[in-house]
Amino acid sequence: MFASTGLVVKLVLFLLLYFSVVSWGIIFYKLLQVSRANGASERFLEFFWKAKRFDAISGQLDRFTNSPLTVLFQEGYGELKKLQEKVEEKADPNSISTDLGGIDNIARALRRATTSEITRLEKYLTFLATTGATAPFIGLFGTVWGIMTAFEKIGQTGSASLAVVAPGIAEALIATAIGLVAAIPAVMGYNHFQHKIKVLISEMDSFSTEFLNIVQRNFAGR
C-alpha cells in the first residue's frame, strides 16, 4: 500500500513517521525522567525531615540527584550560608532577616531554582503538543491529496470502477490513519506529563515555603 502511493503522500507519510518516532522517544525519556524525579523527591523529603542540620543534608545530596527538590535546597542553603558569612564578617548584631535583603534573597534563590527545574522538566513537551495539534491536519492533507488523485484517475479514464479509484482512496486512508497514530500518543503523553509535572511543581512550592519557615524560625532574629 505504501509503495503504491504517490510522491506527495509518501512525503506526508515520512513526515508523520518522523513525528511519531520522535514523540515516542520523548515519551519514553519523560517517563524515565519523571519517574526518577518522583521517587528521588519522596526519598529526599523523608531524609530532609529526619535530618537535624542543613549541613548534614547538604553532604548527602548526591543520593537524590534526580530530585528537583535537591536543586532548591542547594540554592536556598547556598544563599543562607552567604548571608551568615556576611553577618559574621560585619559582626552585626542584627539578624540575617535584615542583612542585604535576608529572607528575600533566599526566597528569590528558591524561585530561580524552581523556574529552572520547571523548564528542565517541561523540556520537549512542546514537541508532543505540536505533534498532537498538527499531525491530524498533515494526515488530512494527505487524505485530500489521495482523493484528488482518485478523481484525477476517474477523469483520465472516464471510469469510476474500483480498480481506478482504489489507489487514490488507499492513499487517503493511509494518510488519515498514520496522522492519528502519530497524534493520539503525543496528546496522551503531553497530558500525562503535564499532570505529573504539576504535582512536582506543587511539591517544589511547598518545599520552598517550608524551607523559608525553617530559616525564619532557626536563623532569623539571632
Side-chain angles (χ1 to χ4, degrees):
M1 292 175 67
F2 176 79
S4 65
T5 60
L7 177 61
V8 172
V9 177
K10 278 189 172 69
L11 292 175
V12 168
L13 294 178
F14 275 122
L15 181 59
L16 291 173
L17 180 62
Y18 166 78
F19 275 114
S20 182
V21 170
V22 175
S23 294
W24 277 108
I26 292 172
I27 288 170
F28 285 122
Y29 169 73
K30 295 308 253 184
L31 280 172
L32 183 62
Q33 182 190 42
V34 172
S35 175
R36 286 178 172 176
N38 280 322
S41 293
E42 289 178 5
R43 294 194 304 273
F44 174 74
L45 284 175
E46 183 179 358
F47 172 72
F48 178 83
W49 291 116
K50 287 181 178 179
K52 303 298 183 181
R53 297 172 57 89
F54 278 179
D55 55 355
I57 297 172
S58 179
Q60 298 291 324
L61 291 182
D62 56 347
R63 293 167 49 192
F64 316 99
T65 53
N66 293 308
S67 172
L69 301 183
T70 60
V71 178
L72 271 66
F73 177 84
Q74 283 179 316
E75 293 297 321
Y77 182 51
E79 191 64 33
L80 175 62
K81 288 196 296 184
K82 291 178 184 178
L83 291 171
Q84 288 178 314
E85 290 171 0
K86 292 181 185 299
V87 171
E88 291 172 359
E89 288 174 2
K90 294 180 179 181
D92 192 341
N94 294 326
S95 69
I96 66 168
S97 61
T98 59
D99 186 80
L100 299 178
I103 299 299
D104 290 338
N105 287 352
I106 298 175
R108 281 193 292 271
L110 291 171
R111 286 196 297 269
R112 286 195 304 269
T114 299
T115 301
S116 174
E117 286 303 293
I118 292 173
T119 301
R120 181 180 69 85
L121 289 169
E122 291 183 341
K123 189 176 182 181
Y124 305 127
L125 290 187
T126 302
F127 188 91
L128 294 182
T130 301
T131 300
T134 60
F137 294 102
I138 296 173
L140 181 61
F141 172 76
T143 301
V144 172
W145 193 270
I147 293 173
M148 289 171 56
T149 301
F151 279 113
E152 183 181 2
K153 292 288 181 64
I154 292 173
Q156 290 175 349
T157 62
S159 171
S161 65
L162 183 61
V164 173
V165 300
I169 299 301
E171 289 184 3
L173 295 176
I174 291 172
T176 301
I178 300 301
L180 294 175
V181 166
I184 292 173
V187 172
M188 294 177 66
Y190 177 81
N191 291 333
H192 173 76
F193 295 125
Q194 282 287 2
H195 170 70
K196 293 294 185 181
I197 291 172
K198 283 182 180 178
V199 173
L200 287 170
I201 292 172
S202 178
E203 287 184 355
M204 286 188 281
D205 290 339
S206 297
F207 179 79
S208 296
T209 301
E210 293 297 333
F211 186 92
L212 289 173
N213 288 339
I214 292 171
V215 170
Q216 288 176 323
R217 287 197 305 266
N218 297 280
F219 297 96
R222 286 207 248 166

